Coordinates of all heavy atoms in Angstrom, one line a residue:
M1 N 185.9 -83.2 -65.9 CA 187.1 -82.3 -65.9 C 188.4 -83.3 -66.1 O 188.4 -84.3 -65.3 CB 187.2 -81.6 -64.6 CG 188.5 -80.7 -64.6 SD 188.4 -79.6 -63.1 CE 189.3 -80.7 -61.9
T2 N 189.2 -83.0 -67.0 CA 190.4 -83.8 -67.2 C 191.3 -83.6 -66.0 O 191.6 -82.6 -65.6 CB 191.1 -83.5 -68.5 OG1 190.3 -83.6 -69.6 CG2 192.4 -84.3 -68.7
Q3 N 191.8 -84.7 -65.5 CA 192.7 -84.6 -64.3 C 194.1 -85.3 -64.5 O 195.0 -85.0 -63.7 CB 192.1 -85.2 -63.2 CG 190.8 -84.5 -62.7 CD 190.2 -85.0 -61.4 OE1 190.0 -86.1 -61.2 NE2 190.2 -84.1 -60.5
I4 N 194.2 -86.0 -65.6 CA 195.6 -86.5 -65.9 C 195.9 -86.3 -67.4 O 195.1 -86.6 -68.3 CB 195.6 -88.0 -65.7 CG1 195.4 -88.4 -64.2 CG2 197.0 -88.7 -66.1 CD1 195.3 -89.9 -63.9
F5 N 197.0 -85.7 -67.7 CA 197.4 -85.5 -69.0 C 198.7 -86.3 -69.3 O 199.7 -86.1 -68.7 CB 197.8 -84.0 -69.2 CG 196.7 -83.0 -69.1 CD1 196.4 -82.5 -67.8 CD2 195.9 -82.7 -70.2 CE1 195.2 -81.6 -67.7 CE2 194.8 -81.8 -70.0 CZ 194.5 -81.3 -68.8
A6 N 198.4 -87.4 -70.0 CA 199.5 -88.4 -70.2 C 199.9 -88.5 -71.7 O 199.1 -88.6 -72.5 CB 198.9 -89.8 -69.7
T7 N 201.2 -88.7 -71.8 CA 201.8 -88.9 -73.2 C 202.3 -90.4 -73.2 O 203.1 -90.7 -72.4 CB 202.9 -87.9 -73.5 OG1 202.4 -86.6 -73.4 CG2 203.5 -88.1 -74.9
D8 N 201.8 -91.1 -74.2 CA 202.2 -92.4 -74.4 C 203.6 -92.6 -75.0 O 204.1 -91.6 -75.6 CB 201.2 -93.2 -75.1 CG 201.1 -94.7 -74.7 OD1 202.0 -95.2 -74.0 OD2 200.1 -95.4 -75.0
R9 N 204.2 -93.8 -75.1 CA 205.4 -94.0 -75.8 C 205.5 -93.6 -77.2 O 206.6 -93.2 -77.7 CB 205.8 -95.5 -75.7 CG 206.2 -95.9 -74.3 CD 206.7 -97.4 -74.3 NE 207.1 -97.7 -72.9 CZ 206.6 -98.8 -72.4 NH1 205.9 -99.7 -73.0 NH2 207.0 -99.0 -71.1
D10 N 204.4 -93.6 -77.9 CA 204.3 -93.3 -79.3 C 204.1 -91.8 -79.5 O 203.9 -91.3 -80.7 CB 203.3 -94.0 -80.1 CG 201.9 -93.8 -79.5 OD1 201.7 -93.0 -78.6 OD2 200.9 -94.5 -80.0
G11 N 204.0 -91.0 -78.3 CA 203.9 -89.6 -78.5 C 202.4 -89.2 -78.5 O 202.1 -88.0 -78.4
S12 N 201.5 -90.2 -78.4 CA 200.1 -89.8 -78.5 C 199.7 -89.2 -77.1 O 200.2 -89.6 -76.0 CB 199.1 -91.0 -78.7 OG 199.5 -92.0 -77.8
K13 N 198.8 -88.3 -77.1 CA 198.4 -87.5 -75.9 C 197.0 -88.0 -75.4 O 196.1 -88.3 -76.3 CB 198.2 -86.0 -76.2 CG 199.5 -85.4 -76.7 CD 200.5 -84.9 -75.8 CE 201.5 -84.1 -76.4 NZ 202.7 -84.0 -75.6
H14 N 196.9 -88.2 -74.1 CA 195.6 -88.7 -73.5 C 195.2 -87.8 -72.4 O 196.0 -87.4 -71.6 CB 195.9 -90.2 -73.0 CG 196.3 -91.1 -74.1 ND1 195.4 -91.9 -74.8 CD2 197.5 -91.3 -74.6 CE1 196.1 -92.6 -75.7 NE2 197.4 -92.3 -75.6
E15 N 193.9 -87.5 -72.4 CA 193.4 -86.8 -71.2 C 192.5 -87.7 -70.5 O 191.5 -88.2 -71.0 CB 192.6 -85.5 -71.7 CG 193.6 -84.6 -72.4 CD 192.9 -83.3 -72.9 OE1 191.7 -83.2 -72.6 OE2 193.5 -82.5 -73.5
L16 N 192.8 -88.0 -69.2 CA 192.1 -89.1 -68.4 C 191.4 -88.5 -67.3 O 191.8 -87.5 -66.6 CB 193.1 -90.1 -68.0 CG 194.0 -90.7 -69.1 CD1 195.0 -91.6 -68.5 CD2 193.3 -91.4 -70.2
E17 N 190.2 -89.2 -66.9 CA 189.5 -88.9 -65.8 C 189.5 -90.0 -64.8 O 188.8 -90.9 -65.0 CB 188.0 -88.6 -66.3 CG 187.1 -88.1 -65.1 CD 187.5 -86.7 -64.6 OE1 187.9 -86.0 -65.4 OE2 187.2 -86.4 -63.4
P18 N 190.3 -89.9 -63.8 CA 190.4 -91.0 -62.9 C 189.1 -91.3 -62.1 O 188.4 -90.3 -61.7 CB 191.5 -90.7 -62.0 CG 191.8 -89.3 -62.1 CD 191.1 -88.9 -63.4
Q19 N 188.8 -92.5 -61.8 CA 187.6 -92.8 -60.9 C 188.2 -93.6 -59.8 O 189.0 -94.4 -59.7 CB 186.7 -93.9 -61.7 CG 186.3 -93.4 -63.1 CD 185.3 -92.2 -63.0 OE1 184.5 -92.1 -62.1 NE2 185.4 -91.3 -64.0
G20 N 187.7 -93.1 -58.6 CA 188.0 -93.8 -57.3 C 189.5 -93.5 -57.0 O 190.1 -92.4 -57.4
H21 N 190.0 -94.4 -56.1 CA 191.4 -94.1 -55.6 C 192.3 -95.3 -56.1 O 193.0 -95.9 -55.3 CB 191.3 -94.0 -54.1 CG 190.6 -92.9 -53.7 ND1 191.2 -91.6 -53.6 CD2 189.4 -92.6 -53.3 CE1 190.3 -90.7 -53.3 NE2 189.2 -91.3 -53.1
A22 N 192.3 -95.6 -57.4 CA 193.3 -96.6 -58.0 C 194.7 -96.0 -58.0 O 194.9 -94.8 -57.7 CB 192.9 -96.9 -59.4
T23 N 195.6 -96.8 -58.4 CA 197.0 -96.2 -58.5 C 197.0 -95.6 -60.0 O 196.3 -96.0 -60.9 CB 198.1 -97.3 -58.4 OG1 197.8 -98.2 -59.5 CG2 198.0 -98.0 -57.1
L24 N 198.1 -94.9 -60.2 CA 198.2 -94.3 -61.5 C 198.5 -95.4 -62.6 O 198.0 -95.3 -63.7 CB 199.5 -93.3 -61.6 CG 199.2 -91.9 -61.2 CD1 200.6 -91.1 -61.3 CD2 198.2 -91.2 -62.0
M25 N 199.2 -96.5 -62.2 CA 199.4 -97.6 -63.1 C 198.0 -98.2 -63.5 O 197.8 -98.4 -64.7 CB 200.2 -98.7 -62.4 CG 200.4 -99.9 -63.2 SD 199.2 -101.1 -63.0 CE 199.5 -101.9 -61.4
E26 N 197.1 -98.4 -62.6 CA 195.8 -99.0 -63.0 C 195.0 -98.0 -63.8 O 194.4 -98.5 -64.8 CB 195.0 -99.3 -61.7 CG 195.6 -100.4 -60.9 CD 195.2 -100.4 -59.4 OE1 194.8 -99.4 -58.8 OE2 195.1 -101.6 -58.9
I27 N 195.1 -96.7 -63.6 CA 194.4 -95.8 -64.4 C 194.9 -95.8 -65.9 O 194.2 -95.8 -66.8 CB 194.5 -94.3 -63.7 CG1 193.7 -94.3 -62.4 CG2 193.9 -93.3 -64.7 CD1 194.0 -93.2 -61.5
L28 N 196.2 -95.8 -66.0 CA 196.9 -95.6 -67.3 C 196.7 -96.9 -68.1 O 196.3 -96.9 -69.2 CB 198.4 -95.4 -67.2 CG 198.8 -94.0 -66.5 CD1 200.3 -94.0 -66.2 CD2 198.3 -92.9 -67.4
R29 N 196.8 -98.0 -67.4 CA 196.6 -99.3 -68.1 C 195.1 -99.5 -68.5 O 194.8 -99.9 -69.7 CB 197.1 -100.5 -67.2 CG 197.2 -101.9 -67.9 CD 197.8 -102.9 -67.1 NE 197.0 -103.2 -65.9 CZ 197.3 -104.1 -65.0 NH1 198.2 -105.0 -65.3 NH2 196.6 -104.4 -64.0
S30 N 194.2 -99.1 -67.7 CA 192.8 -99.2 -68.1 C 192.5 -98.3 -69.2 O 191.6 -98.7 -70.0 CB 191.9 -98.8 -66.9 OG 192.1 -99.7 -65.9
A31 N 193.2 -97.2 -69.4 CA 192.8 -96.3 -70.5 C 193.6 -96.8 -71.8 O 193.5 -96.2 -72.8 CB 193.3 -95.0 -70.2
G32 N 194.4 -97.9 -71.7 CA 195.0 -98.5 -72.9 C 196.3 -98.0 -73.2 O 196.9 -98.2 -74.3
L33 N 197.0 -97.2 -72.2 CA 198.3 -96.8 -72.5 C 199.3 -97.9 -72.4 O 199.0 -98.9 -71.9 CB 198.7 -95.6 -71.6 CG 198.2 -94.2 -72.0 CD1 196.7 -94.1 -71.8 CD2 199.0 -93.2 -71.3
S34 N 200.5 -97.8 -72.9 CA 201.5 -98.9 -73.0 C 202.2 -99.1 -71.6 O 203.4 -98.9 -71.5 CB 202.5 -98.6 -74.1 OG 203.0 -97.3 -74.0
I35 N 201.4 -99.4 -70.7 CA 201.9 -99.8 -69.4 C 201.7 -101.4 -69.2 O 200.5 -101.8 -69.0 CB 201.0 -99.1 -68.3 CG1 201.3 -97.6 -68.4 CG2 201.4 -99.6 -66.9 CD1 202.6 -97.1 -67.8
E36 N 202.7 -102.2 -69.2 CA 202.6 -103.5 -69.1 C 202.2 -104.0 -67.7 O 201.4 -104.9 -67.5 CB 203.8 -104.2 -69.6 CG 204.2 -104.2 -71.0 CD 204.9 -102.9 -71.4 OE1 205.3 -102.1 -70.5 OE2 205.1 -102.7 -72.7
A37 N 202.9 -103.4 -66.7 CA 202.7 -103.8 -65.2 C 202.8 -105.3 -65.1 O 201.9 -106.0 -64.5 CB 201.3 -103.2 -64.9
L38 N 203.9 -105.8 -65.5 CA 204.0 -107.3 -65.5 C 204.1 -107.9 -64.0 O 203.6 -109.1 -63.9 CB 205.4 -107.7 -66.2 CG 205.5 -107.4 -67.6 CD1 207.0 -107.6 -68.1 CD2 204.4 -108.0 -68.3
C39 N 204.4 -107.1 -63.1 CA 204.3 -107.6 -61.7 C 203.0 -107.2 -61.0 O 202.9 -107.4 -59.7 CB 205.5 -107.1 -60.9 SG 205.5 -105.4 -60.4
S40 N 202.1 -106.7 -61.7 CA 200.8 -106.3 -61.1 C 200.9 -105.3 -60.0 O 200.0 -105.3 -59.1 CB 199.9 -107.5 -60.7 OG 199.8 -108.4 -61.8
G41 N 201.9 -104.5 -60.0 CA 202.0 -103.4 -59.0 C 202.8 -103.8 -57.7 O 202.6 -103.0 -56.7
S42 N 203.7 -104.7 -57.9 CA 204.4 -105.1 -56.6 C 205.8 -104.6 -56.6 O 206.7 -105.1 -55.9 CB 204.4 -106.7 -56.4 OG 205.0 -107.3 -57.5
C43 N 206.1 -103.6 -57.4 CA 207.3 -102.8 -57.4 C 208.5 -103.7 -57.7 O 209.6 -103.5 -57.1 CB 207.5 -102.2 -56.0 SG 208.6 -100.8 -55.9
Q44 N 208.4 -104.5 -58.7 CA 209.4 -105.4 -59.1 C 209.9 -105.3 -60.6 O 211.0 -105.6 -61.0 CB 209.1 -106.8 -58.9 CG 209.0 -107.1 -57.3 CD 208.6 -108.5 -57.1 OE1 208.2 -109.3 -57.9 NE2 208.6 -108.8 -55.7
C45 N 209.0 -104.9 -61.5 CA 209.1 -105.0 -63.0 C 209.6 -103.7 -63.6 O 210.3 -103.8 -64.6 CB 208.0 -105.7 -63.6 SG 206.6 -104.5 -63.8
A46 N 209.2 -102.7 -63.1 CA 209.4 -101.3 -63.7 C 208.9 -101.0 -65.0 O 209.2 -100.2 -65.7 CB 211.0 -100.9 -63.7
T47 N 207.9 -101.9 -65.4 CA 207.3 -101.7 -66.7 C 206.1 -100.7 -66.6 O 205.3 -100.4 -67.5 CB 206.7 -103.1 -67.3 OG1 205.7 -103.6 -66.3 CG2 207.8 -103.9 -67.6
C48 N 206.0 -100.0 -65.4 CA 205.1 -98.9 -65.2 C 205.8 -97.6 -65.0 O 205.3 -96.7 -64.5 CB 204.2 -99.2 -64.1 SG 205.0 -99.2 -62.5
H49 N 207.0 -97.5 -65.5 CA 208.0 -96.4 -65.4 C 207.3 -95.2 -66.1 O 207.0 -95.2 -67.2 CB 209.3 -96.7 -65.9 CG 210.4 -95.7 -65.7 ND1 211.6 -95.8 -66.3 CD2 210.3 -94.4 -65.1 CE1 212.3 -94.7 -65.9 NE2 211.6 -93.9 -65.3
V50 N 207.2 -94.0 -65.4 CA 206.7 -92.8 -66.0 C 207.6 -91.6 -65.5 O 208.3 -91.8 -64.5 CB 205.2 -92.5 -65.6 CG1 204.3 -93.6 -66.2 CG2 205.1 -92.4 -64.1
F51 N 207.6 -90.5 -66.3 CA 208.2 -89.3 -65.9 C 207.2 -88.3 -65.6 O 206.2 -88.0 -66.3 CB 209.1 -88.8 -67.2 CG 210.1 -89.8 -67.6 CD1 210.0 -90.2 -68.9 CD2 211.1 -90.2 -66.8 CE1 211.0 -91.1 -69.3 CE2 212.1 -91.1 -67.2 CZ 212.0 -91.6 -68.6
I52 N 207.3 -87.8 -64.3 CA 206.3 -86.9 -63.8 C 206.8 -85.5 -63.8 O 207.9 -85.2 -63.4 CB 205.9 -87.2 -62.3 CG1 205.6 -88.7 -62.2 CG2 204.8 -86.3 -61.7 CD1 204.2 -89.1 -62.5
E53 N 206.0 -84.5 -64.3 CA 206.3 -83.1 -64.4 C 206.1 -82.4 -63.0 O 205.2 -82.9 -62.2 CB 205.5 -82.4 -65.5 CG 205.7 -83.0 -66.9 CD 207.2 -83.0 -67.4 OE1 207.8 -82.0 -67.1 OE2 207.6 -83.9 -68.0
E54 N 206.8 -81.3 -62.8 CA 206.5 -80.4 -61.7 C 205.3 -79.6 -62.0 O 205.0 -79.3 -63.2 CB 207.8 -79.6 -61.4 CG 208.9 -80.3 -60.8 CD 208.8 -80.8 -59.4 OE1 207.7 -80.6 -58.9 OE2 209.7 -81.3 -58.9
P55 N 204.6 -79.2 -61.0 CA 204.8 -79.3 -59.6 C 204.4 -80.6 -59.0 O 204.5 -80.7 -57.8 CB 204.0 -78.1 -59.0 CG 202.8 -78.0 -59.9 CD 203.3 -78.4 -61.3
W56 N 203.7 -81.5 -59.8 CA 203.2 -82.7 -59.2 C 204.3 -83.7 -58.7 O 204.1 -84.3 -57.6 CB 202.3 -83.4 -60.2 CG 201.3 -82.6 -60.6 CD1 200.0 -82.3 -60.1 CD2 201.2 -81.8 -61.8 NE1 199.3 -81.4 -60.8 CE2 200.0 -81.0 -61.8 CE3 202.1 -81.4 -62.8 CZ2 199.7 -80.1 -62.8 CZ3 201.8 -80.5 -63.8 CH2 200.6 -79.8 -63.8
L57 N 205.4 -83.7 -59.2 CA 206.5 -84.5 -58.8 C 206.8 -84.2 -57.3 O 207.0 -85.2 -56.4 CB 207.8 -84.4 -59.7 CG 209.0 -85.2 -59.2 CD1 208.7 -86.7 -59.4 CD2 210.2 -84.8 -60.0
S58 N 206.8 -83.0 -56.9 CA 207.1 -82.6 -55.6 C 206.0 -82.9 -54.6 O 206.2 -82.9 -53.4 CB 207.4 -81.1 -55.5 OG 208.6 -80.8 -56.3
K59 N 204.8 -83.1 -55.1 CA 203.7 -83.5 -54.2 C 203.8 -85.0 -53.9 O 203.0 -85.4 -52.9 CB 202.4 -83.2 -54.9 CG 202.2 -81.7 -55.2 CD 200.8 -81.5 -55.8 CE 200.6 -80.0 -56.0 NZ 199.3 -79.8 -56.7
L60 N 204.5 -85.8 -54.5 CA 204.6 -87.2 -54.3 C 205.4 -87.6 -53.1 O 206.4 -86.8 -52.7 CB 205.1 -88.0 -55.4 CG 204.3 -87.7 -56.8 CD1 205.0 -88.4 -57.9 CD2 202.8 -88.3 -56.6
K61 N 205.1 -88.7 -52.3 CA 206.0 -89.2 -51.3 C 207.3 -89.6 -51.9 O 207.3 -90.0 -53.1 CB 205.4 -90.5 -50.7 CG 204.1 -90.1 -49.9 CD 203.5 -91.4 -49.3 CE 202.2 -91.1 -48.6 NZ 201.5 -92.3 -48.3
P62 N 208.4 -89.5 -51.2 CA 209.7 -89.9 -51.7 C 209.7 -91.3 -52.2 O 208.9 -92.1 -51.6 CB 210.6 -89.7 -50.5 CG 209.9 -88.8 -49.6 CD 208.4 -89.0 -49.8
M63 N 210.5 -91.6 -53.1 CA 210.7 -92.9 -53.5 C 211.2 -93.9 -52.5 O 212.0 -93.5 -51.7 CB 211.6 -93.1 -54.8 CG 211.1 -92.4 -55.9 SD 212.3 -92.4 -57.3 CE 212.2 -94.0 -57.9
S64 N 210.7 -95.1 -52.4 CA 211.1 -96.1 -51.4 C 212.4 -96.7 -52.0 O 212.7 -96.6 -53.2 CB 210.1 -97.2 -51.2 OG 210.0 -97.9 -52.3
D65 N 213.2 -97.4 -51.1 CA 214.4 -98.1 -51.6 C 214.0 -99.2 -52.6 O 214.8 -99.4 -53.6 CB 215.2 -98.8 -50.5 CG 215.9 -97.7 -49.6 OD1 215.9 -96.6 -50.0 OD2 216.2 -98.0 -48.5
F66 N 212.9 -99.8 -52.5 CA 212.4 -100.8 -53.4 C 212.1 -100.2 -54.8 O 212.5 -100.8 -55.8 CB 211.1 -101.5 -52.8 CG 211.3 -102.2 -51.6 CD1 210.8 -101.9 -50.5 CD2 212.1 -103.4 -51.7 CE1 210.9 -102.7 -49.3 CE2 212.3 -104.2 -50.6 CZ 211.8 -103.8 -49.4
E67 N 211.5 -99.0 -54.8 CA 211.2 -98.4 -56.1 C 212.5 -97.9 -56.8 O 212.6 -98.2 -58.0 CB 210.4 -97.1 -55.8 CG 209.8 -96.4 -57.1 CD 208.9 -95.3 -56.9 OE1 208.4 -95.1 -55.7 OE2 208.4 -94.6 -57.8
I68 N 213.4 -97.4 -56.1 CA 214.8 -97.0 -56.7 C 215.4 -98.3 -57.2 O 215.9 -98.3 -58.3 CB 215.6 -96.3 -55.6 CG1 215.0 -95.0 -55.2 CG2 217.0 -96.2 -56.1 CD1 215.7 -94.3 -54.1
A69 N 215.4 -99.4 -56.4 CA 216.1 -100.6 -56.9 C 215.3 -101.2 -58.1 O 216.1 -101.6 -59.0 CB 216.0 -101.6 -55.8
A70 N 214.0 -101.1 -58.2 CA 213.3 -101.6 -59.3 C 213.7 -100.9 -60.6 O 213.7 -101.4 -61.7 CB 211.8 -101.6 -59.1
L71 N 214.0 -99.6 -60.4 CA 214.3 -98.8 -61.6 C 215.8 -98.9 -61.9 O 216.4 -98.1 -62.8 CB 214.0 -97.3 -61.3 CG 212.5 -97.0 -61.5 CD1 212.2 -95.6 -60.8 CD2 212.1 -97.0 -62.9
G72 N 216.5 -99.8 -61.2 CA 217.9 -100.0 -61.6 C 218.9 -99.1 -60.7 O 220.1 -99.2 -61.1
G73 N 218.4 -98.5 -59.8 CA 219.3 -97.6 -59.0 C 219.9 -96.5 -59.8 O 219.3 -96.1 -60.8
E74 N 220.8 -95.8 -59.2 CA 221.3 -94.6 -59.9 C 222.0 -94.8 -61.2 O 222.0 -93.9 -62.0 CB 222.4 -94.0 -58.9 CG 221.9 -93.6 -57.5 CD 220.8 -92.6 -57.5 OE1 220.8 -91.8 -58.3 OE2 220.0 -92.6 -56.6
G75 N 222.4 -96.0 -61.4 CA 223.1 -96.3 -62.7 C 222.0 -96.9 -63.7 O 222.5 -97.2 -64.8
G76 N 220.8 -97.0 -63.3 CA 219.9 -97.6 -64.2 C 219.1 -96.6 -65.1 O 219.6 -95.7 -65.5
D77 N 217.8 -96.9 -65.2 CA 217.0 -96.0 -66.0 C 216.5 -94.8 -65.3 O 215.6 -94.0 -65.8 CB 215.7 -96.8 -66.5 CG 216.2 -98.0 -67.4 OD1 217.1 -97.8 -68.2 OD2 215.6 -99.1 -67.2
L78 N 216.8 -94.7 -64.0 CA 216.4 -93.6 -63.2 C 216.7 -92.3 -63.6 O 217.9 -92.0 -63.9 CB 217.0 -93.9 -61.7 CG 216.4 -93.2 -60.6 CD1 214.9 -93.5 -60.4 CD2 217.2 -93.5 -59.3
Q79 N 215.7 -91.4 -63.8 CA 215.9 -90.0 -64.1 C 215.4 -89.2 -62.9 O 214.6 -89.6 -62.0 CB 215.3 -89.5 -65.4 CG 215.9 -90.3 -66.6 CD 215.3 -89.7 -67.9 OE1 214.7 -88.7 -68.0 NE2 215.5 -90.5 -69.0
A80 N 215.6 -87.9 -62.9 CA 215.3 -87.0 -61.8 C 213.8 -87.1 -61.5 O 213.3 -87.0 -60.4 CB 215.7 -85.7 -62.0
N81 N 213.0 -87.2 -62.6 CA 211.6 -87.3 -62.5 C 210.9 -88.7 -62.7 O 209.7 -88.8 -63.1 CB 210.9 -86.2 -63.4 CG 211.2 -86.4 -64.8 OD1 212.0 -87.2 -65.2 ND2 210.4 -85.8 -65.7
S82 N 211.7 -89.7 -62.5 CA 211.2 -91.0 -62.7 C 210.4 -91.4 -61.5 O 210.7 -91.1 -60.4 CB 212.4 -92.0 -62.8 OG 213.1 -91.9 -64.0
R83 N 209.3 -92.2 -61.8 CA 208.5 -92.8 -60.7 C 207.9 -94.1 -61.4 O 207.7 -94.2 -62.6 CB 207.4 -91.8 -60.2 CG 207.9 -90.7 -59.5 CD 208.7 -90.9 -58.3 NE 208.2 -91.8 -57.3 CZ 207.7 -91.3 -56.1 NH1 207.8 -90.1 -55.8 NH2 207.2 -92.2 -55.2
L84 N 207.5 -95.0 -60.4 CA 206.8 -96.2 -60.9 C 205.3 -95.8 -60.6 O 204.9 -95.5 -59.4 CB 207.2 -97.3 -60.0 CG 208.5 -97.8 -60.3 CD1 208.9 -99.1 -59.4 CD2 208.8 -98.2 -61.8
A85 N 204.6 -95.9 -61.7 CA 203.1 -95.5 -61.6 C 202.3 -96.4 -60.6 O 201.4 -95.9 -60.0 CB 202.4 -95.5 -63.0
C86 N 202.8 -97.6 -60.4 CA 202.1 -98.5 -59.4 C 202.3 -98.1 -58.0 O 201.5 -98.6 -57.1 CB 202.6 -100.0 -59.6 SG 204.2 -100.3 -59.1
Q87 N 203.2 -97.2 -57.7 CA 203.5 -96.8 -56.4 C 202.8 -95.4 -56.0 O 203.1 -94.9 -54.9 CB 205.0 -96.7 -56.1 CG 205.7 -98.0 -56.3 CD 205.2 -99.1 -55.5 OE1 205.3 -99.0 -54.3 NE2 204.6 -100.1 -56.1
I88 N 202.0 -95.0 -57.0 CA 201.3 -93.7 -56.7 C 199.8 -93.9 -56.7 O 199.3 -94.2 -57.7 CB 201.8 -92.6 -57.9 CG1 203.3 -92.5 -57.9 CG2 201.1 -91.3 -57.6 CD1 203.8 -91.8 -59.2
K89 N 199.3 -93.6 -55.6 CA 197.9 -93.8 -55.5 C 197.2 -92.5 -55.8 O 197.7 -91.4 -55.4 CB 197.5 -94.2 -54.0 CG 196.1 -94.5 -53.7 CD 195.9 -95.4 -52.6 CE 194.5 -95.9 -52.5 NZ 194.3 -97.2 -52.1
W90 N 196.2 -92.6 -56.7 CA 195.5 -91.4 -57.0 C 194.9 -90.5 -55.8 O 194.3 -91.2 -55.0 CB 194.4 -91.6 -58.1 CG 193.7 -90.4 -58.4 CD1 192.4 -89.9 -57.9 CD2 194.2 -89.3 -59.2 NE1 192.2 -88.7 -58.4 CE2 193.2 -88.3 -59.2 CE3 195.4 -89.2 -60.0 CZ2 193.4 -87.0 -59.9 CZ3 195.5 -88.0 -60.6 CH2 194.5 -87.0 -60.6
D91 N 195.2 -89.3 -55.9 CA 194.7 -88.3 -54.9 C 194.3 -87.1 -55.7 O 194.9 -86.7 -56.5 CB 195.8 -88.1 -53.9 CG 195.3 -87.3 -52.7 OD1 195.2 -86.1 -52.9 OD2 195.1 -87.9 -51.6
D92 N 193.3 -86.4 -55.1 CA 192.8 -85.1 -55.7 C 193.9 -84.1 -55.8 O 193.8 -83.1 -56.6 CB 191.5 -84.7 -55.1 CG 190.3 -85.5 -55.4 OD1 190.3 -86.3 -56.3 OD2 189.3 -85.5 -54.7
D93 N 194.8 -84.2 -54.9 CA 196.0 -83.2 -55.0 C 196.8 -83.3 -56.2 O 197.5 -82.4 -56.6 CB 196.9 -83.5 -53.7 CG 196.4 -82.9 -52.5 OD1 195.4 -82.2 -52.5 OD2 197.0 -83.3 -51.4
L94 N 196.6 -84.5 -57.0 CA 197.3 -84.7 -58.2 C 196.5 -84.2 -59.4 O 197.1 -84.4 -60.6 CB 197.7 -86.2 -58.3 CG 198.6 -86.8 -57.3 CD1 198.8 -88.2 -57.5 CD2 199.9 -86.0 -57.2
A95 N 195.4 -83.6 -59.2 CA 194.6 -83.1 -60.4 C 195.5 -82.3 -61.3 O 196.1 -81.4 -60.9 CB 193.4 -82.4 -59.9
G96 N 195.3 -82.6 -62.6 CA 196.1 -81.8 -63.6 C 197.4 -82.4 -63.8 O 198.2 -81.9 -64.6
I97 N 197.8 -83.4 -63.2 CA 199.2 -84.0 -63.4 C 199.6 -84.2 -64.8 O 198.7 -84.6 -65.6 CB 199.3 -85.3 -62.6 CG1 200.7 -85.8 -62.5 CG2 198.4 -86.5 -63.1 CD1 201.0 -87.0 -61.5
V98 N 200.8 -84.0 -65.1 CA 201.3 -84.2 -66.5 C 202.5 -85.3 -66.5 O 203.4 -85.1 -65.6 CB 201.8 -82.9 -67.0 CG1 202.4 -83.1 -68.5 CG2 200.8 -81.9 -67.1
L99 N 202.3 -86.3 -67.2 CA 203.3 -87.5 -67.1 C 203.5 -88.0 -68.6 O 202.7 -87.8 -69.4 CB 202.8 -88.4 -66.2 CG 201.6 -89.2 -66.5 CD1 201.8 -90.4 -67.3 CD2 200.9 -89.7 -65.2
T100 N 204.7 -88.6 -68.7 CA 205.0 -89.3 -69.9 C 205.4 -90.8 -69.6 O 206.2 -91.0 -68.6 CB 206.2 -88.6 -70.6 OG1 205.8 -87.3 -70.9 CG2 206.5 -89.3 -71.9
V101 N 204.9 -91.7 -70.4 CA 205.3 -93.2 -70.2 C 206.7 -93.3 -70.7 O 207.1 -92.8 -71.8 CB 204.3 -94.0 -70.9 CG1 204.8 -95.6 -70.8 CG2 203.0 -93.9 -70.4
A102 N 207.7 -93.9 -69.8 CA 209.0 -94.0 -70.1 C 209.3 -94.9 -71.3 O 208.4 -95.9 -71.5 CB 209.8 -94.5 -69.0
P103 N 210.3 -94.8 -72.1 CA 210.5 -95.7 -73.2 C 210.7 -97.2 -72.7 O 211.1 -97.4 -71.5 CB 211.8 -95.2 -73.8 CG 212.0 -93.8 -73.3 CD 211.3 -93.8 -72.0
E104 N 210.4 -98.1 -73.5 CA 210.5 -99.6 -73.1 C 212.0 -99.8 -73.1 O 212.8 -99.4 -73.9 CB 209.9 -100.4 -74.2 CG 209.7 -101.8 -73.9 CD 208.8 -102.5 -74.9 OE1 208.6 -102.0 -76.0 OE2 208.3 -103.7 -74.6
V105 N 212.4 -100.7 -72.2 CA 213.8 -101.0 -72.0 C 214.0 -102.5 -72.4 O 213.1 -103.3 -72.4 CB 214.3 -100.8 -70.6 CG1 214.5 -99.3 -70.4 CG2 213.4 -101.5 -69.5
Ligands
FES1 S1 203.8 -102.7 -62.1 FE1 205.7 -103.7 -61.8 S2 206.8 -102.2 -60.9 FE2 204.9 -101.2 -61.2

């Protein structure tokens, strides 16, 4: 059963089946999507920036100050549905999640 519906930067659609309890960043990168993850998930590079659709966005823990800062704060690349994929651990509550990889900055 597909549990992640992801759109890559080039508009290509991917249906992914997560294994275990990795982060979304690890799942997307393993599937070959354009997630650089230059800081390997330490919330510093923002190259794992994704846009999460509702209702899944509301299921996530609030963003930390570090996550907001990595996205450049309110004046940066931050949008209402922005998240760093490395800060989201896969959980079955997220089954069916719809997301889009953010444009490269
Ligand atoms: S991998 Fe660098 S902020 Fe997510």
